[in-house]
Amino acid sequence: GEAVTSNNTSSVTTFVRCPDYTVVKSPGAATVPYSAGSVSWSVAVTNTGNVDLAMPTLTDATVSLSGPTSSGDAGDGVFSIGEVLTYTGTEQIAGRCGQIANTVSAVVVDGQVQISRQGTATTTVVCTPDVAIQKTGPQSVDFGDTITYAVNVTSVGDPLPIARGDLVVTDPKVGAGQL
């Protein structure tokens, strides 16, 4: 016999599922004046994996989110590869000044596996506190009399949490006193 040679080759391609997505939360503005009354938030959820996923479920403790609006959505209720889902909502800021952080949680189910992600963002509520001070006393006094003044301090700006006893009013003629 003759020798038989073969140049047959074969290859096998194995598809590895890599379900993944990102959650990015953003404030409507880096700073918000207290007078605005609320801060707006947006959440972008992007399918960054190599497979289609079920639609995400979002949870936010302080913001009622609406949406999603979508880029690349075929309207089929599937969270497709590369698709970006956008949700929006507002949070009331009454009585809050300074930095506010907000976190949203998302869950996507892929078969029997739950994939959880979070997105956190911050904004700063800018408060402009101000007070009006009115000092009243008698129109006239006799020499040697003790003069009693009444000092009324009223908040006329944005609220600023001041504990009783923490506000000090100084009068150069009388001295300091705590309110």
Side-chain angles (χ1 to χ4, degrees), residues 6-175:
S6 172
N7 287 336
N8 290 339
T9 59
S10 64
S11 63
V12 175
T13 302
T14 303
F15 179 75
V16 178
R17 289 178 54 83
C18 295
D20 202 5
Y21 67 101
T22 60
V23 176
V24 177
K25 184 147 198 179
S26 304
T31 60
V32 178
Y34 180 84
S35 59
S38 64
V39 60
S40 61
W41 300 98
S42 66
V43 179
V45 183
T46 306
N47 183 342
T48 57
N50 65 355
V51 293
D52 291 344
L53 298 169
M55 294 297 282
T57 301
L58 273 62
T59 306
D60 190 308
T62 59
V63 177
S64 177
L65 295 169
S66 63
T69 57
S70 176
S71 69
D73 183 19
D76 56 4
V78 175
F79 189 23
S80 302
I81 299 167
E83 186 173 4
V84 179
L85 304 173
T86 303
Y87 301 80
T88 57
T90 57
E91 179 177 4
Q92 299 305 307
I93 57 174
R96 298 165 67 188
C97 297
Q99 194 172 66
I100 295 177
N102 184 276
T103 300
V104 64
S105 298
V107 175
V108 168
V109 177
D110 180 48
Q112 299 298 315
V113 179
Q114 280 193 356
I115 306 166
S116 299
R117 300 283 184 264
Q118 287 188 330
T120 299
T122 60
T123 190
T124 301
V125 177
V126 179
C127 291
T128 310
D130 196 6
V131 294
I133 301 175
Q134 181 182 19
K135 179 179 170 184
T136 58
Q139 292 292 330
S140 63
V141 294
D142 292 327
F143 181 76
D145 284 352
T146 300
I147 304 172
T148 302
Y149 294 101
V151 178
N152 185 22
V153 180
T154 306
S155 175
V156 295
D158 295 333
L160 184 63
I162 299 175
R164 187 179 179 120
D166 286 348
L167 179 64
V168 176
V169 177
T170 304
D171 184 328
K173 303 275 185 192
V174 178

